[in-house]
């Protein structure tokens, strides 16, 4: 390589006199630069291979970017698993407040190794540590324990969370839990079985509704049908002697985007070889850290989730008879997905809501709070890997979890906007603001795009899968199991094309011996060219053409796959052959539409209706707060300041769980019958003194002022609340007459009128503030007003002593 550094071979000395336009110089500079880049690229591939071999030889490989200590080992549990609970140790200079809510990240076990949730300083763990939360990480080992099942893993995660709760007895809030991709649906299963263990749940890029998807997109949902069902999964596990190689899952991901897999990612490294080597190697350390799953685990996942779609329809039952119904989840759920994600598109991330619940009232009756956020462009990995996403969306999710935890039930969509876009940036504590907008199911349907006619097709796939799996287990599996030995299974894993691609470029290949020496010479005498070089520009154009061609081939492949799937599984003959033809057949269970569930919703509404007139000042104040803020203390974190102030000032000393119950109950009441809920407010305050009522009004004013002026609508509602509070004030006794009352009366005619009767001094409301008609005649106050008025009526001047009823 020394000839490249020879000054006699510089472009200036070799440019002929007949090259006035510099084409020869540009060609030579480009040739030298391309040779140097090729040497450096091959050396990076060599380092990648060495890194892969070193990573795979570790007993506990991880790409986690933080120091940790093991707190619990899943292998010691009654039903052993290969999972671990780790305490994350903050970097030097980062302070952690043990009084804050614990933060737990669970990484996906979908072919890759653990650590992606804390891969970078700007990651899910990094964001939580910067916010001062004590952080924990649930990772896993490369190989499963013998007999390990999905249910065992779910129970292990529940045990880990219980241990985290025990470590923070001074914290009343349950841990916030983050599940990425596959870990998301595992966490939802655990939260459905043990809802009291989980705090707010953030699921990022997690598929829960596997039949959902938009036509022309989401090609992975057709994979099971085009392979004839889950028999291929059983075959792959049997080839591995009961172990399923995660490299097969990684290969499925790579096939989704052949342009990026076979050209774009590698060319980007080659084109920016001087700056991209470190980032590329860091990512490849995780992407190539393939792990192994148990055959029973992956079969359960494919049969019940990817093909059967039984999680979002409450059809899964544990081995001990417990139904896994996601409607049992009591924690707020934040769903983070992206329109640019072709592995877990928004319909698959959000479709479970539509599968389980019929409408918003059904959602509210189940006391469920669901918040979803859709990124516009980022891919599947970017949801939980991208630093820009972590600095923006994940920072806001973490900062607002306490707010989300006390939000009333309902469906909300969030957007993240910059502080400068708002008129009151002083009230915003960070660079971005997370805003919440209530949504209805009609708006949700536009994102889910559910098509009932597709359900029969996917139900047909599930039936065909059961048939093919049964045939495989009857005829082929016994022969295969008898011929595969553990040694043969290990050799097959090592010869997987993806694994082999790493090893061939490592130092174990004798041809790579001169690469480090050549690369060192190039680095010392590097001659890079700029994009202005004609041939470099032509190279870039050629790369773009290759990417475009590969993308066109992918689109054609996906379109044909979808067309074949729709035609094959839409055939009436095939549907009839598996017993699914006919309009009367129920192809997909809809738990929200079942009669027993509708009875539950009606019963729940009756229970709430009975509580409308129950309670006291606490209920009246919180009901007023929610009503003034528009039916839900939502929109953004500035209103959270109001809610937080209401907890510390209006309800001092109340526990978060009780405060949450109070907020939700009063929200239910207002949602069910707002007119009656307001009508009984004076009755809830009955018995309080004028000073107490005035104190509550002043406290409400202070809370509402926490984030600036109220909107016009909120101000009108607050005026209505003040009027209702005034109705509850006790009647003031009239001034006692003088000892010689006859002398103090100027006009005898007016003595026939009663003296001033104590009445609530309610200002006359404007037309915009005037309450409904029913609010002007509050029946629960009638007896109280008569009793108070009878004691406070002064004697008339004529001495008749006749009692006069108060004015109405």
């Amino acid at each position: 390589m020394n000839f490249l550094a020879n000054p006699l071979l510089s472009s200036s000395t070799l440019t002929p006199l007949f090259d006035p336009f510099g084409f020869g110089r540009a060609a030579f500079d480009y040739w030298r630069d391309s040779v140097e880049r090729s040497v450096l690229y091959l050396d990076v591939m060599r380092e990648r291979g060495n890194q892969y071999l070193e990573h795979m030889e570790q007993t506990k490989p991880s790409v986690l970017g933080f120091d940790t200590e093991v707190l619990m080992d899943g292998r010691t549990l009654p039903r052993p698993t290969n999972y671990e609970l780790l305490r994350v140790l903050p970097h030097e200079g980062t302070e952690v407040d043990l009084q804050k809510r614990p933060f737990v990240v669970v990484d996906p076990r979908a072919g890759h190794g653990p650590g992606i949730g804390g891969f970078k300083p700007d990651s899910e763990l990094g964001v939580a540590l910067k916010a001062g939360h004590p952080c924990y990480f649930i990772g896993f080992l490369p190989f499963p324990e013998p007999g390990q099942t999905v249910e065992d893993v779910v129970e292990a995660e529940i045990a880990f969370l219980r241990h985290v709760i025990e470590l923070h007895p001074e914290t009343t809030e349950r841990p916030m839990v983050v599940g990425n991709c596959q870990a998301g649906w595992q966490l939802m299963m655990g939260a459905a079985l043990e809802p009291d263990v989980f705090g707010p749940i953030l699921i990022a890029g997690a598929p829960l509704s596997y039949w959902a998807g938009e036509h022309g997109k989401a090609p992975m949902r057709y994979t099971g049908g085009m392979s004839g069902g889950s028999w291929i999964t059983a075959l792959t596990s049997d080839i591995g002697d009961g172990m399923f190689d995660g490299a097969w899952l990684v290969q499925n991901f790579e096939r989704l985007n052949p342009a990026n897999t076979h050209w774009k990612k590698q060319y980007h490294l080659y084109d920016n070889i001087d700056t991209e080597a470190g980032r590329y190697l860091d990512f490849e350390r995780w992407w190539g850290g393939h792990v192994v799953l148990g055959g029973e685990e992956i079969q359960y996942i494919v049969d019940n989730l990817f093909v059967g779609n039984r999680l979002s329809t409450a059809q899964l039952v544990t081995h001990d008879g417990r139904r896994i119904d996601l409607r049992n989840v009591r924690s707020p759920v934040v769903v983070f997905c992206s329109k640019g994600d072709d592995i877990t598109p928004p319909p698959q991330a959000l479709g479970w809501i539509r599968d389980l619940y019929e409408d918003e009232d059904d959602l509210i009756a189940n006391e469920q709070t669901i918040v979803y956020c859709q990124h516009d462009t980022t891919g599947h990995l970017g949801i939980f890997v991208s630093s820009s996403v972590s600095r923006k969306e994940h920072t806001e999710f973490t900062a607002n979890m306490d707010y989300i935890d006390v939000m009333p039930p309902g469906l909300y969509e969030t957007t993240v906007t910059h502080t400068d876009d708002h008129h009151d940036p002083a009230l915003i504590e960070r660079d971005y603001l997370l805003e919440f907008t209530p949504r209805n199911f009609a708006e949700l349907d536009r994102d889910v795009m559910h098509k009932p006619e597709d359900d029969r097709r996917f139900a047909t796939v599930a039936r065909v899968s059961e048939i093919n799996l049964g045939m495989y287990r009857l005829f082929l599996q016994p022969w295969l199991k008898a011929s595969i030995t553990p040694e043969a299974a290990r050799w097959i894993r090592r010869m997987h094309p993806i694994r082999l691609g790493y090893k061939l470029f490592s130092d174990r290949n004798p041809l790579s011996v001169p690469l480090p020496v050549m690369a060192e010479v190039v680095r010392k005498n590097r001659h890079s060219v700029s994009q202005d070089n004609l041939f470099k520009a032509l190279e870039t154009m050629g790369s773009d053409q290759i990417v475009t061609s590969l993308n066109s081939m992918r689109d054609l492949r996906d379109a044909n796959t979808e067309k074949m799937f729709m035609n094959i599984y839409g055939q009436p003959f095939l549907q009839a052959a598996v017993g699914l033809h006919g309009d009367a057949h129920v192809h997909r269970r809809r738990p929200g539409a079942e009669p027993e569930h509708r009875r539950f919703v009606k019963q729940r509404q009756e229970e709430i209706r009975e509580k409308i007139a129950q309670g006291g000042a606490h209920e009246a104040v919180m009901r007023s707060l929610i009503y003034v803020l528009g039916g839900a203390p939502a929109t953004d974190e500035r209103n959270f300041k109001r809610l937080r102030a209401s907890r510390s000032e209006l309800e001092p000393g109340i526990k978060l769980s009780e405060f949450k119950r109070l907020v939700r109950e009063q929200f239910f009441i207002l949602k069910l019958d707002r007119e009656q809920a307001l009508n009984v407010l004076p009755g809830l305050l009955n018995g309080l003194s004028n000073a107490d009522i005035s104190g509550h009004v002043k406290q409400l004013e202070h809370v509402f002022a926490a984030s600036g002026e109220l909107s016009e609508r909120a101000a009108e509602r607050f005026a209505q609340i003040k009027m209702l509070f005034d109705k509850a004030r006790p009647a003031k006794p009239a001034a006692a007459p003088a000892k010689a009352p006859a002398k103090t009366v100027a006009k005898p005619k007016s003595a026939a009128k009663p003296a001033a009767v104590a009445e609530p001094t309610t200002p006359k409301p404007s037309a915009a503030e005037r309450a409904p008609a029913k609010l002007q005649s509050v029946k629960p106050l009638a007896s109280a007003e008569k009793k108070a008025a009878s004691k406070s009526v002064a004697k008339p001047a004529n001495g008749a002593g006749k009692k006069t009823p108060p004015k109405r």
Side-chain angles (χ1 to χ4, degrees), residues 209-430:
S209 184
Y210 304 90
W211 292 359
E214 179 183 1
H215 285 187
K217 297 182 180 180
M220 282 197 73
R221 69 176 182 150
Y222 306 122
T223 304
M226 299 312 297
S227 61
S230 67
W231 74 272
I232 194 72
T233 304
L235 172 66
T236 308
S237 299
D238 292 337
I239 290 175
D241 191 33
M243 299 287 189
F244 185 92
D245 189 0
W248 293 107
L249 298 177
V250 177
Q251 189 176 63
N252 286 339
F253 298 149
E254 291 187 341
R255 284 175 177 170
L256 284 174
N257 194 348
N260 183 70
T261 299
H262 301 302
W263 180 261
K264 192 175 180 179
K265 181 173 66 172
Q266 306 302 329
Y267 175 74
H268 182 73
L269 172 65
Y270 172 75
D271 187 32
N272 303 275
I273 194 64
D274 299 309
T275 59
E276 283 295 302
R279 186 202 63 82
Y280 178 85
L281 289 173
D282 285 343
F283 179 77
E284 285 295 310
R285 189 159 62 97
W286 174 73
W287 188 253
H290 309 123
V291 297
V292 177
L293 291 83
E296 188 176 351
E297 286 183 282
I298 192 65
Q299 196 67 41
Y300 178 97
I301 293 170
V302 175
D303 285 338
N304 291 295
L305 305 183
F306 298 152
V307 174
N309 194 44
R310 297 188 178 105
L311 177 59
S312 67
T313 52
Q315 297 180 73
L316 286 180
V317 179
T318 64
H319 70 279
D320 56 354
R322 293 177 295 168
R323 182 173 295 279
I324 301 177
D325 190 340
L326 298 185
R327 292 173 299 176
N328 293 335
V329 177
R330 288 295 171 261
S331 304
V333 179
V334 179
V335 181
F336 185 29
C337 55
S338 174
K339 298 176 182 178
D341 185 355
D342 55 356
I343 295 176
T344 307
Q348 292 190 9
L350 300 172
W352 64 279
I353 306 171
R354 204 66 182 87
D355 292 344
L356 287 172
Y357 303 102
E358 284 297 293
D359 49 33
E360 305 92 278
D361 292 337
D362 192 6
L363 188 69
I364 292 171
N366 281 273
E367 303 184 30
Q368 182 58 268
T369 303
I370 300 177
V371 178
Y372 67 95
C373 178
Q374 296 186 80
H375 198 279
D376 290 330
T377 58
T378 191
H380 182 71
L381 294 179
I383 293 176
F384 41 89
V385 174
S386 173
S387 296
S388 60
V389 171
S390 292
R391 286 193 296 266
K392 188 178 178 182
E393 279 82 2
H394 282 290
T395 297
E396 292 304 311
F397 292 146
T398 302
N400 285 275
M401 270 303 163
D402 286 340
Y403 175 29
I404 296 172
D405 198 17
V406 296
M407 286 179 66
L411 183 66
Y412 307 87
E413 183 177 10
T414 67
T415 54
V416 182
T417 55
H418 199 275
T419 303
D420 296 338
D421 299 334
H422 299 272
H423 66 279
D424 51 357
L427 295 171
I428 306 173
E429 299 174 354
R430 294 167 306 282

Side-chain angles (χ1 to χ4, degrees), residues 509-737:
N509 187 341
L511 298 177
S512 67
V513 172
L515 278 177
V517 179
M518 297 167 64
E520 184 63 25
V521 173
V522 170
R523 291 190 185 97
K524 290 180 179 179
N525 302 278
R526 181 77 170 94
H527 303 86
S528 60
V529 297
S530 66
Q531 294 292 337
D532 296 335
N533 185 286
L534 172 64
F535 297 95
K536 186 68 166 61
L538 291 175
E539 175 194 291
T540 303
M541 294 172 60
S543 173
D544 293 341
Q545 288 296 324
I546 292 174
V547 170
T548 302
S549 299
L550 289 174
N551 284 338
S552 298
M553 293 173 59
R554 176 203 62 195
D555 295 341
L556 180 62
R557 177 201 66 188
D558 292 346
N560 287 332
T561 299
E562 181 178 73
K563 187 176 181 179
M564 289 176 62
F565 179 92
M566 294 297 174
N567 289 336
I568 292 173
Y569 292 100
Q571 290 292 330
F573 177 79
L574 178 59
Q575 294 174 357
V578 296
L580 292 177
H581 188 64
D583 295 334
H585 190 86
V586 179
H587 309 295
R588 184 175 189 170
R589 181 173 184 254
R590 299 193 62 85
E594 294 175 349
E596 59 269 22
H597 182 71
R598 305 314 301 171
R599 287 195 297 269
F600 160 76
V601 173
K602 185 176 181 181
Q603 180 182 358
R604 177 66 176 149
Q605 291 175 345
E606 293 299 324
E607 292 174 356
I608 295 171
R609 197 179 301 276
E610 293 176 358
K611 295 181 179 180
I612 291 180
Q614 297 177 5
H618 292 325
E619 287 73 14
V621 170
M622 185 54 64
R623 191 177 302 178
S624 303
L625 176 71
I626 296 174
Y627 174 66
V628 171
L629 293 180
T635 66
D636 58 51
E637 67 183 62
R638 292 168 293 180
N639 280 338
F640 179 47
K641 291 182 178 180
R642 297 171 174 168
L643 197 62
R644 187 164 51 192
S646 71
R647 181 186 172 195
S648 61
E649 297 178 20
L650 301 181
E651 306 290 344
I654 190 173
K655 294 181 179 180
L656 178 64
S657 58
E658 182 62 21
F659 181 76
K660 183 177 180 179
R661 182 202 62 78
L662 182 63
V663 171
R664 293 193 167 207
E665 190 173 87
Q666 297 310 310
F667 171 78
F668 289 147
I669 290 173
L670 281 167
K671 180 76 175 178
L672 183 63
D673 192 341
R674 186 176 70 179
E675 185 173 321
Q676 181 63 14
L678 296 175
N679 195 34
V680 302
L681 275 179
L684 298 180
L685 297 171
N686 188 28
L688 295 182
S689 64
N690 274 313
D692 291 337
I693 295 176
S694 298
H696 286 309
V697 172
K698 288 182 179 179
Q699 287 176 329
L700 283 171
E701 290 174 346
H702 182 66
V703 170
F704 293 140
S707 59
E709 283 189 32
L710 290 173
S711 64
E712 182 179 354
R713 181 187 180 191
E716 292 175 355
R717 289 188 171 195
F718 190 30
Q720 183 181 353
I721 290 297
K722 288 180 180 178
M723 181 186 69
L724 292 169
F725 273 46
D726 285 340
K727 285 180 174 290
R729 295 180 184 274
K732 295 181 180 179

Side-chain angles (χ1 to χ4, degrees), residues 22 119 150 294 385 393 412 436 467 493 503 521 659 735 752 779:
F119 181 54
V150 172
V385 174
E393 279 82 2
Y412 307 87
F436 298 82
I467 295 171
R493 279 199 297 272
K503 295 177 184 178
V521 173
F659 181 76
K779 293 182 179 180

Side-chain angles (χ1 to χ4, degrees), residues 67-98:
D67 294 331
T68 60
E69 59 177 338
V70 178
L71 297 180
M72 284 188 69
D73 190 333
R75 293 173 293 182
T76 64
L77 295 174
R79 295 188 63 85
T81 65
N82 64 333
Y83 279 71
E84 291 181 323
L85 173 64
L86 309 175
R87 189 202 307 272
V88 180
L89 305 178
H91 292 315
E92 185 177 355
T94 303
E95 296 184 1
V96 172
D97 184 0
L98 297 179

